[in-house]
Amino acid sequence: FSWRTTLSSTLFHNSPRLSFPSLDAEVGFTLLTYGFALSNLARAVVVSLGTYEIERGLSDADRRAKDDRLGFAVTLLCKAAGVFEYIAKEVLSGWDAARERALAAGLSCPHPPDLSREVLIGLSKCANLTGLHNCLLIVTQDGACRCAESCDS
């Protein structure tokens, strides 16, 4: 299977197609793409809301509707965080074993930073922190957060 890296291609301004002789790499990159898609969708939802939290003339119904959409974005970010963490904790161990077998057989098997535990755990924490920040914006009149159930982490 071959993939183009997403994170390291931006950093190094180079995105060659890399081949990985393992189903575990395919699963890892597929889930990584899914996590990025969830994060990008959450960002698009948040951007579409504008700065409603400081708009004084917004009706309660409109504010609740925007709060609900922001809560949806928080849920997406929490899902993305879970996907990144799952890759780091579950998928990479199988990929590491497959990579070692490929290298022992004399096959090329690159190790892009995009599929390293450190990067994936960092992505998970960033998604969780961004979700928490957005959650803090959803505050009712009495000061209670209405999106506490969005993230389990």
Side-chain angles (χ1 to χ4, degrees):
F1 303 104
S2 64
W3 285 85
R4 293 187 189 276
T5 58
T6 302
L7 296 176
S8 55
S9 67
T10 304
L11 180 64
F12 301 121
H13 305 292
N14 185 10
S15 184
R17 187 166 285 281
L18 302 174
S19 292
F20 301 95
S22 143
L23 183 59
D24 294 296
E26 182 76 6
V27 170
F29 272 106
T30 301
L31 289 173
L32 186 64
T33 302
Y34 177 57
F36 288 146
L38 290 169
S39 298
N40 289 340
L41 180 56
R43 183 184 184 286
V45 170
V46 170
V47 168
S48 75
L49 296 174
T51 57
Y52 81 97
E53 70 274 7
I54 59 173
E55 293 178 17
R56 298 210 183 263
L58 201 61
S59 72
D60 284 342
D62 288 342
R63 184 170 305 281
R64 271 191 292 280
K66 289 190 178 220
D67 282 350
D68 289 344
R69 288 180 56 207
L70 188 58
F72 174 66
V74 169
T75 300
L76 291 172
L77 286 168
C78 290
K79 286 180 182 182
V83 168
F84 294 137
E85 186 174 345
Y86 177 79
I87 299 167
K89 292 184 175 178
E90 303 296 329
V91 176
L92 285 188
S93 58
W95 184 58
D96 287 340
R99 187 170 178 273
E100 287 177 23
R101 286 192 303 273
L103 292 173
L107 299 172
S108 170
C109 192
H111 193 271
D114 302 49
L115 281 183
S116 69
R117 279 181 183 76
E118 296 80 11
V119 168
L120 290 163
I121 294 297
L123 287 171
S124 176
K125 290 182 182 200
C126 285
N128 268 330
L129 287 174
T130 305
L132 177 62
H133 174 265
N134 289 339
C135 184
L136 292 175
L137 295 176
I138 305 173
V139 179
T140 61
Q141 295 277 337
D142 61 359
C145 182
R146 293 199 327 246
C147 69
E149 301 85 33
S150 293
C151 270
D152 294 330
S153 335

